[in-house]
Amino acid sequence: MSAPITLLLIAATCVVSLVAFRTPSLLMRLILWPPAIDRHRQYDRLVTYGFIHADFWHLFFNMFTLFFFGRQIEGWMAAQKGPWVFPLFYFSALVVSILPTYLKHQKDPNYRSLGASGAVSAVLFAFILLAPWARIGVFFIPMPAIVFAVLYIAYSIWMDKRGGDNINHGAHLAGAAYGVLFLVVMDAGVIGHFLEELSHPSFG
């Protein structure tokens, strides 16, 4: 499947992340640090934080997920509205998914966040809306996409309230909600499609 934007996003994220691993000054300039936005108007951090990652595995799992589901969503969006929709979706998902975190920690000089997980969650949940019974492998365990969605949301809510693991579960939740909302606004017919698919379980 041709998905040039997805592949370009993966390549750019990998390059920037790998360079940032070895260049602390670059990482600190791109990371979401609320005071830099609040005091110095560095609004680009609302996007650049998604192109750096904490370590190799953080980068790998995000890009692995984006590779498999981003291509599907890019293809669908291009067929529906044109090739410009997917990059708009992805970049806006980076901003929207991190906004609740930014507003919560706007005055906190000790808070930082990085990684594409929020935008990747948006892509993943957009896919689930289109294909709720698709098979998704979670740590080599196959399960229907809709079952994964329920477990993912429940776990993210629980961990967001619990805290303490240095993972921005709030961004995951905001990204997932945005992915669904974007598709519904783009084409309200996906709601009927989702309900129709949901009423005919097929996990093969």
Side-chain angles (χ1 to χ4, degrees):
M1 177 181 294
S2 176
I5 302 300
T6 298
L7 298 179
L8 183 60
L9 285 169
I10 291 172
T13 304
C14 287
V15 169
V16 175
S17 291
L18 292 172
V19 172
F21 288 159
R22 297 176 175 271
T23 315
S25 60
L26 176 64
L27 186 143
M28 294 309 298
R29 177 55 186 85
L30 301 181
I31 201 169
L32 180 86
W33 183 48
I37 299 171
D38 188 46
R39 300 172 191 168
H40 305 298
R41 305 295 187 261
Q42 294 177 353
Y43 298 111
D44 59 291
R45 290 177 184 259
L46 293 170
V47 171
T48 59
Y49 80 96
F51 287 86
I52 54 175
H53 289 77
D55 53 42
F56 173 79
W57 291 111
H58 187 205
L59 172 64
F60 174 79
F61 283 117
N62 271 337
M63 294 303 98
F64 182 82
T65 304
L66 182 59
F67 177 76
F68 281 102
F69 300 106
R71 293 179 302 157
Q72 304 289 334
I73 294 302
E74 181 182 349
W76 185 84
M77 288 182 171
Q80 294 294 314
K81 300 292 184 179
W84 58 272
V85 180
F86 182 73
L88 172 65
F89 171 55
Y90 188 84
F91 282 101
S92 62
L94 282 173
V95 176
V96 172
S97 65
I98 204 65
L99 272 180
T101 297
Y102 166 66
L103 294 173
K104 180 179 179 180
H105 296 278
Q106 191 172 1
K107 305 298 183 181
D108 183 359
N110 297 315
Y111 186 84
R112 290 170 175 80
S113 185
L114 76 173
S117 302
V120 171
S121 291
V123 171
L124 176 58
F125 273 73
F127 173 83
I128 292 171
L129 191 63
L130 295 177
W133 295 109
R135 180 181 301 199
I136 291 181
V138 182
F139 297 110
F140 304 105
I141 301 174
M143 67 177 65
I146 189 63
V147 173
F148 168 78
V150 172
L151 295 175
Y152 182 90
I153 291 172
Y155 176 76
S156 295
I157 292 174
W158 177 57
M159 289 303 296
D160 188 48
K161 291 180 177 179
R162 179 184 177 187
D165 63 352
N166 293 320
I167 296 176
N168 192 348
H169 296 283
H172 296 179
L173 289 167
Y178 182 70
V180 172
L181 181 62
F182 189 97
L183 249 66
V184 171
V185 171
M186 179 180 166
D187 182 359
V190 299
I191 299 176
H193 169 81
F194 173 74
L195 295 175
E196 176 67 21
E197 289 290 313
L198 209 59
S199 66
H200 295 88
S202 176
F203 181 58

